[in-house]
Amino acid sequence: PFAYTIDEATLDTQVASASQVAAIQPSDVTTNTMTFVASTRDNDRYLVANVVAFPGWQITVDGKPADLVTVGGYVGVKLRPGVHTYRFSYATLGLRTGLILSGGAILVCLLWGIGVTVGPLVRSLTWLENRVRRYRQQKKGADNKNEQPGHLLLGHDS
């Protein structure tokens, strides 16, 4: 079974008899949640899910947060008298923080990569622009003197 109910007196024993434990099936199961609808008249029973108690588990009763207990290494909750919906949910601790940090690191790497790739390109275009500007200025001066300025673009001196 996914879960069982057990009375408080049996929690301290190592072995429980079948009469002390009642199996219960979930009404809904997803990747990170298990929902059970359970009823009891007693105030001394626990609902125990067959899931190892690990940080990150939370429990809600009728949509409101409740206290999670560890029963024999498994997650559990004290049952409330009447019919109630118990939802066990798991959220990986630190997942959101890890995703934010990883996304920031990827962004930094992308920006650095763009800088490394585009920086030399911009510098080479600036160099070419300067070279063309000097060529035009020298051509303008050569036209005034009827000289051939072609050798100036290649960087040969007279």
Side-chain angles (χ1 to χ4, degrees):
F2 276 96
Y4 55 92
T5 61
I6 189 168
D7 62 11
E8 193 168 17
T10 310
L11 289 178
D12 296 331
T13 63
Q14 292 294 324
V15 179
S17 67
S19 64
Q20 297 168 317
V21 176
I24 183 170
Q25 293 299 318
S27 60
D28 184 39
V29 176
T30 65
T31 305
N32 294 329
T33 63
M34 291 184 299
T35 304
F36 301 90
V37 177
S39 65
T40 186
R41 286 178 267 153
D42 302 328
N43 201 17
D44 65 343
R45 290 194 70 77
Y46 285 82
L47 171 64
V48 181
N50 283 333
V51 177
V52 175
F54 193 79
W57 279 103
Q58 299 171 356
I59 180 76
T60 59
V61 179
D62 297 328
K64 297 177 184 166
D67 292 330
L68 190 70
V69 295
T70 301
V71 179
Y74 297 104
V75 293
V77 63
K78 188 165 185 167
L79 290 174
R80 298 177 183 178
V83 178
H84 297 281
T85 302
Y86 300 87
R87 173 170 282 172
F88 293 91
S89 59
Y90 181 77
T92 305
L93 296 177
L95 178 64
R96 183 176 181 179
T97 303
L99 289 174
I100 290 170
L101 290 174
S102 296
I106 289 170
L107 183 63
V108 166
C109 289
L110 286 174
L111 292 174
W112 178 80
I114 289 171
V116 166
T117 304
V118 174
L121 179 62
V122 169
R123 283 191 294 277
S124 66
L125 289 176
T126 304
W127 174 85
L128 184 60
E129 249 180 26
N130 290 336
R131 199 71 176 159
V132 168
R133 187 177 308 116
R134 271 190 276 155
Y135 171 77
R136 287 182 180 154
Q137 288 171 351
Q138 289 175 354
K139 182 178 177 191
K140 188 176 182 181
D143 284 345
N144 291 341
K145 297 179 185 177
N146 287 332
E147 296 180 9
Q148 294 292 335
H151 68 280
L152 297 175
L153 181 61
L154 300 175
H156 298 291
D157 293 328
S158 324

